[in-house]
Amino acid sequence: MLELKTLREDPETVRQALRRRGWNSTRLLDDALALDQALRARMTAHQELLARNRKTAKDVGRLMRSKQFAKAEEAKATHAGLKQQIRLAAHDEDSAREALIDILMMLPNVPHPSVPQGQFASHNQVVRQVGELPAFGFKPKPHWVLAERLHLVDFARGAKTAGAGFPFYVGAGARLQRALIGLFLAEAIRAGYLEIQPPLLVNEVSARGTGQLPDKEGQMYHLRDDDLYLVPTAEVPLTNFYRGEIIPEDSLPLKICGHTPCWRREAGSYGKTVRGLNRLHQFDKVEIVQVVHPDKSYAALETMTTYAEGLLQMLKLPYRTLLMCSGEMGFNQTIQYDLEVWSAGQDRWLEVSSLSNFGTFQAERLKLRYRPQSGGKPQLVHTLNGSALALPRIVAALLELRQQADGSVSLPACLSRHAGMGESWTLRP
RNA sequence: GGAGGGGUGGCAGAGUGGUCGAAUGCACUGGUCUUGAAAACCAGCGUGCCGUCAGGCACCGGGGGUUCGAAUCCCUCCCCCUCCGCCA
């Protein structure tokens, strides 16, 4: 959620930001500003009534104690009707606040000035591309063919048991999953992140805290009986770990990581781009989260991006780093990098990581602040996160890139070690 | 799931209808003292909002109610503890 202070003091910046994101109308913004005015007037009115109420109550108490009961009754009588007025004033205030918050919740974050202007994927800026695209002496197969032939993934039985998008990973396939998770966690820990194993269900307040609600309502699986959501990403529980806290400045940055399955309904997705491991309802991911001082968040994002790229380099996967344009980046982000690996069998790029700086956008909702070392009021922190990394498309890219003419796939040494397979691990049909 | 007991400031812990945003202790910050430190003493020390910047309002787990007045009484939800039941 945008800070009201920003909106009030510099509405033009927000108006520009909305336009950059492709919002043709800034009417919501004008409504918010008007409601903010109204709210403050109503608050003042309400508070004046409360002050009067309190004063009368004290007078009555004083009279009662000095046994001037008649005068006390008199004071009570002058009080008549005040309660109803207070009730009305409170209601007016509440309704103004609710209306304002409803609008604020709909306003996206302000893009950082360095974010390229644009509406479409073609406007995303390729910051760098690393690794050679492979040349094959045969036509490389897509991963779903390889995965079936190598008996790594069972899509059909997954569909039977749960539905499309819920595959079984079998034998070496399951082992490969574990090896990737193990590798990614070990590297994150080595980079100074505290490993956390979070709840896989979160309540509504948490989902609002990181901005999944109301923006992504309908994309999360919702357990109606208990009003809980299956996590769409570890970002939600990991960032909420600190919700409502005031962190001493010298404890910043907080760096945490965790592996979770991620559940996404992916309502509206269909076709070739969702084939195989490309887009699933359940997938595994290791997430990194940082809570940092506002002055250091943009530098932190660069570090996190470099870190995630390092994982791709370890796996020897060709990739490119995109700086997302204003219209393509997420609702909550001020700036966002996506990492894409080359899919040799599909002849296209696959997104395997998204790294973002949220500025104070999540912190405002989370009430997550730090106490300045110099003293003074608590200030909102900046929060960041990134996938490091999401598994299915890594598996897809590994299989497609490293396939041999005979259908076998040999995995990089860093993975075979984590799988407990020594220095080399070759999957054979 | 059943029965009972609890949730108060960073921590501990008073407070059962009025002058309580809240005693006291610890912790923390500043000062005095000291060569320095400790101790002692003095002072400060929650969060948010409104504001004509004087001040005002709200918050004692969340929400609602009773009352002129609620940390205190009532209802409800959440969480924690103890015992029983069930169970990986």
Side-chain angles (χ1 to χ4, degrees):
Chain A
M1 191 162 82
L2 289 171
E3 286 176 84
L4 206 43
K5 198 173 55 175
T6 314
L7 203 67
R8 202 180 283 156
E9 288 170 3
D10 193 6
E12 279 320 301
T13 296
V14 180
R15 199 180 302 278
Q16 260 331 99
L18 290 177
R19 294 215 176 99
R20 291 198 66 192
R21 281 180 175 272
W23 290 52
N24 294 321
S25 164
T26 57
R27 171 120 175 254
L28 270 184
L29 177 61
D30 296 325
D31 289 350
L33 289 167
L35 273 168
D36 176 45
Q37 287 286 338
L39 172 61
R40 284 189 284 165
R42 290 178 188 191
M43 283 176 77
T44 305
H46 183 204
Q47 286 180 14
E48 273 168 11
L49 290 172
L50 284 171
R52 220 199 307 161
N53 184 47
R54 186 182 232 201
K55 188 180 173 302
T56 313
K58 281 193 177 171
D59 289 345
V60 172
R62 209 171 293 124
L63 292 168
M64 297 287 266
R65 249 172 292 117
S66 58
K67 309 230 185 287
Q68 297 172 265
F69 298 115
K71 282 194 173 173
E73 286 306 319
E74 214 172 285
K76 279 194 201 182
T78 63
H79 206 70
L82 187 54
K83 190 173 176 168
Q84 185 56 21
Q85 287 183 53
I86 289 173
R87 204 164 277 175
L88 288 173
H91 179 264
D92 285 350
E93 183 186 328
D94 289 347
S95 57
R97 179 174 289 110
E98 275 168 33
L100 177 57
I101 287 177
D102 282 350
I103 292 181
L104 286 179
M105 283 295 210
M106 286 190 272
L107 294 177
N109 207 347
V110 174
H112 189 261
S114 66
V115 169
Q117 179 60 39
Q119 295 305 312
F120 308 107
S122 57
H123 299 132
N124 296 333
Q125 185 180 317
V126 180
V127 178
R128 55 193 160 261
Q129 184 174 325
V130 177
E132 293 293 310
L133 298 194
F136 290 88
F138 56 95
K139 186 171 174 14
K141 296 181 171 54
H143 68 270
W144 53 87
V145 172
L146 298 165
E148 296 263 37
R149 191 176 291 176
L150 294 165
H151 307 294
L152 302 177
V153 186
D154 194 326
F155 292 103
R157 287 191 171 106
K160 173 182 73 176
T161 308
F166 292 96
F168 280 97
Y169 298 90
V170 179
R175 188 166 202 154
L176 178 55
Q177 292 283 113
R178 261 193 302 125
L180 284 164
I181 294 162
L183 172 66
F184 294 158
L185 283 174
E187 288 302 315
I189 291 163
R190 205 157 66 89
Y193 291 88
L194 174 69
E195 183 184 355
I196 290 185
Q197 203 176 97
L200 304 180
L201 299 173
V202 294
N203 58 31
E204 188 190 325
V205 176
S206 296
R208 291 184 88 83
T210 38
Q212 273 66 28
L213 290 177
D215 182 49
K216 293 192 172 65
E217 177 94 72
Q219 282 296 344
M220 288 186 289
Y221 287 95
H222 183 211
L223 278 65
R224 268 208 184 89
D225 286 349
D226 300 284
D227 201 16
L228 293 168
Y229 296 87
L230 272 79
V231 296
T233 159
E235 166 196 350
V236 181
L238 289 182
T239 312
N240 272 280
F241 188 72
Y242 296 110
R243 169 154 52 85
E245 298 191 14
I246 299 173
I247 314 291
E249 183 177 342
D250 61 7
S251 300
L252 298 177
L254 302 169
K255 298 169 68 179
I256 57 179
C257 67
H259 154 252
T260 68
C262 302
W263 289 276
R264 298 183 183 180
R265 296 185 61 223
E266 303 294 358
S269 298
Y270 62 92
K272 188 172 152 191
T273 55
V274 306
R275 194 132 181 225
L277 297 171
N278 285 341
R279 189 180 292 271
L280 301 171
H281 287 305
Q282 178 182 316
F283 64 94
D284 289 86
K285 180 160 64 65
V286 172
E287 186 81 358
I288 53 176
V289 168
Q290 289 203 26
V291 175
V292 306
H293 188 282
D295 294 346
K296 308 206 170 133
S297 65
Y298 290 94
L301 181 64
E302 297 304 318
T303 309
M304 289 168 73
T305 304
T306 306
Y307 166 77
E309 289 180 32
L311 297 175
L312 295 174
Q313 289 162 20
M314 284 180 71
L315 294 170
K316 302 194 164 53
L317 292 170
Y319 70 90
R320 61 180 195 178
T321 303
L322 301 181
L323 177 56
M324 305 305 281
C325 73
S326 55
E328 277 269 302
M329 68 180 185
F331 182 86
N332 304 330
Q333 280 82 339
T334 63
I335 181 168
Q336 176 185 343
Y337 287 110
D338 276 7
L339 305 185
E340 297 183 335
V341 292
W342 179 247
S343 166
Q346 301 178 77
D347 205 29
R348 64 188 186 104
W349 296 95
L350 299 177
E351 182 193 336
V352 291
S353 176
S354 186
L355 302 116
S356 310
N357 185 357
F358 300 95
T360 58
F361 199 79
Q362 291 183 329
E364 168 75 16
R365 295 183 179 204
L366 294 161
K367 297 281 173 284
L368 175 50
R369 294 165 292 174
Y370 74 96
R371 190 178 298 284
Q373 218 143 23
S374 57
K377 295 274 178 201
Q379 303 290 323
L380 294 174
V381 297
H382 283 193
T383 58
L384 304 97
N385 71 38
S387 2
L389 299 161
L391 265 65
R393 294 177 192 160
I394 292 289
V395 171
L398 280 170
L399 296 180
E400 292 178 5
L401 178 78
R402 304 176 73 92
Q403 60 181 302
Q404 307 293 314
D406 66 358
S408 68
V409 173
S410 65
L411 295 164
C414 61
L415 259 184
S416 60
R417 279 196 291 273
H418 267 274
M421 301 298 285
E423 291 305 301
S424 81
W425 183 18
T426 301
L427 309 170
R428 296 181 194 286

